[in-house]
Amino acid sequence: MSRSDLPSRRGVLRGTLATGAVIAAQGLAQGPAHAASGPRAYRNPLVEQRADPHIHRHTDGHYYFTATAPEYDRIVLRRSRTLRGLTQADESVIWRRHTSGDMAAHIWAPELHRVDGAWYVYFAAAPADDVWKIRIWVLENTNADPFKGSWTEKGQIATAWDTFSLDATTFTHRGGRYLAWAQHEPGQDSNTGVFLSRMANPWTLTGSQIRLTTPEYDWECVGFKVNEGPYVIQRNGRVFLTYSASATDFNYCVGLLTADDTSDLMDPASWSKSPTPVFTRNDTTGQYGPGHNCFTVAEDGRTDVLVYHARQYKEIEGDPLNDPNRHTRIQQLGWKADGTPDFGVPVPDAR
């Protein structure tokens, strides 16, 4: 089966969110306060040929980095006390794909999270005999150091439907833990929407699963009708959830959902959706297809940092998923006077 025959993937708020209800997980990113005034310069790309990046700043003072390797066959991990240090940090392979059966193909979008005293990696994978039957899987390591100990396969996260699903992220809000993810909804003509659910434990969903967003605007439906890659940052009395939309070529971009911090996140009506993308390609800076972002905080503990991937060129031969040059980039995340995030434009490369 070709990729175009399958439910594809990709995501601030309006009425259609309340339709359909069912799955969805949590995006993460809690942390200190807001960006300091004035832009902070970073040297990009931060890490070459690493897509769907995730950076976790841990209480041990280190940044932990993981991302999709272009071979789609392993999960890698780097560590550094500085963001810039991740560029040259040694990279370890903490898990490899199976050679047969489940988790043998399309190892995508790993995220590393520390939950209840253990490390967890959420990632997407498919079986060897059906490489587009992509689902969400979880690894656990109870060692304090994720480079040590052993990684146990906790299994597949069971969602309401057994359909194409990926890009899981987890976060906490008012004492509860959530999972947000992308999935194909049966009966919908879109490839993927973004869903949310509470969690009973780091590998099990509980209660209802709701749809947060489905592709509806033109900018979400270029190439494929996709909302995917959710991630959460909580600031200024609101919960902001970013997601990526459209095909993974130069049309890839970032959308935004917003909910009040005091609202019930499991009520679709709590969320509003931006009718326009908040982060897109820029010909002037030479950055194309920015997306699949996360957030971290700078070494000062206050400045918010946007993490994402993008390419340095617009035209791609063949399937964009076979092009390895989605590079990890970072830049300061600004904040507008009304308390909403200011993404700006993807900054140019600096060497």
Side-chain angles (χ1 to χ4, degrees):
M1 182 181 291
S2 70
R3 179 174 181 269
S4 60
D5 294 327
L6 293 161
S8 188
R9 338 166 329 250
R10 317 287 189 237
V12 187
L13 295 145
R14 85 170 189 187
T16 57
L17 300 175
T19 65
V22 287
I23 307 194
Q26 266 172 262
L28 147 75
Q30 304 168 321
H34 317 296
S37 59
R40 173 185 294 263
Y42 292 102
R43 184 174 297 276
N44 281 312
L46 182 73
V47 183
E48 294 189 352
Q49 295 195 344
R50 293 292 179 265
D52 312 323
H54 186 256
I55 296 177
H56 167 76
R57 191 186 192 211
H58 191 44
T59 54
D60 64 2
H62 287 97
Y63 290 95
Y64 291 86
F65 169 88
T66 189
T68 301
E71 297 81 9
Y72 302 154
D73 64 352
R74 63 195 186 277
I75 295 175
V76 298
L77 191 62
R78 299 185 186 201
R79 174 170 56 193
S80 172
R81 288 196 173 274
T82 65
L83 284 167
R84 181 171 293 182
L86 290 171
T87 303
Q88 300 299 330
D90 292 337
E91 186 170 273
S92 295
V93 176
I94 61 171
W95 183 88
R96 290 189 182 275
R97 70 175 182 87
H98 293 187
T99 57
S100 62
D102 290 331
M103 296 182 284
H106 285 150
I107 310 305
W108 283 350
E111 287 195 5
L112 175 73
H113 296 271
R114 183 74 170 169
V115 181
D116 298 334
W119 292 100
Y120 293 90
V121 172
Y122 298 86
F123 67 104
D129 60 353
D130 191 353
V131 299
W132 289 104
K133 189 180 178 182
I134 294 172
R135 303 293 187 268
I136 300 164
W137 300 81
V138 185
L139 305 176
E140 179 190 60
N141 188 340
T142 58
N143 196 292
D145 184 345
F147 288 87
K148 298 179 181 178
S150 59
W151 287 93
T152 302
E153 296 171 357
K154 302 299 289 186
Q156 179 184 334
I157 290 185
T159 58
W161 317 293
D162 185 26
T163 61
F164 184 94
S165 52
L166 70 171
D167 294 353
T169 187
T170 185
F171 66 97
T172 59
H173 177 259
R174 295 186 171 272
R177 179 160 295 279
Y178 297 80
L179 189 79
W181 70 98
Q183 185 160 13
H184 173 65
E185 180 177 352
Q188 295 288 312
D189 69 350
S190 61
N191 300 112
T192 52
V194 172
F195 299 86
L196 186 69
S197 175
R198 292 183 181 273
M199 303 190 80
N201 59 46
W203 58 91
T204 308
L205 305 183
T206 186
S208 61
Q209 302 175 15
I210 64 164
R211 182 207 304 153
L212 293 183
T213 175
T214 191
E216 54 186 307
Y217 298 114
D218 289 346
W219 56 270
E220 298 176 293
C221 301
V222 183
F224 295 100
K225 295 180 179 180
V226 167
N227 286 175
E228 67 180 5
Y231 209 82
V232 164
I233 185 169
Q234 303 179 50
R235 298 285 186 272
N236 305 324
R238 278 163 282 190
V239 180
F240 301 101
L241 185 146
T242 54
Y243 64 94
S244 297
S246 288
T248 56
D249 57 13
F250 68 89
N251 294 294
Y252 207 46
C253 59
V254 176
L256 183 68
L257 304 177
T258 305
D260 189 274
D261 182 70
T262 61
S263 65
D264 178 5
L265 299 188
M266 292 302 298
D267 180 356
S270 297
W271 295 89
S272 64
K273 178 175 180 174
S274 172
T276 58
V278 294
F279 197 56
T280 63
R281 68 179 184 267
N282 190 280
D283 290 326
T284 300
T285 63
Q287 301 301 321
Y288 299 97
H292 202 112
N293 77 283
C294 71
F295 302 99
T296 189
V297 67
E299 292 84 349
D300 62 9
R302 292 181 49 83
T303 304
D304 290 310
V305 175
L306 173 65
V307 184
Y308 61 99
H309 73 235
R311 291 187 179 88
Q312 299 153 314
Y313 45 85
K314 185 175 183 179
E315 301 303 327
I316 299 170
E317 293 185 8
D319 189 335
L321 289 176
N322 295 329
D323 180 287
N325 294 317
R326 291 183 292 174
H327 303 323
T328 295
R329 291 174 165 80
I330 58 174
Q331 62 191 66
Q332 181 175 327
L333 179 71
W335 293 92
K336 300 177 183 177
D338 65 359
T340 59
D342 184 355
F343 291 82
V345 301
V347 298
D349 290 349
R351 295 188 177 278

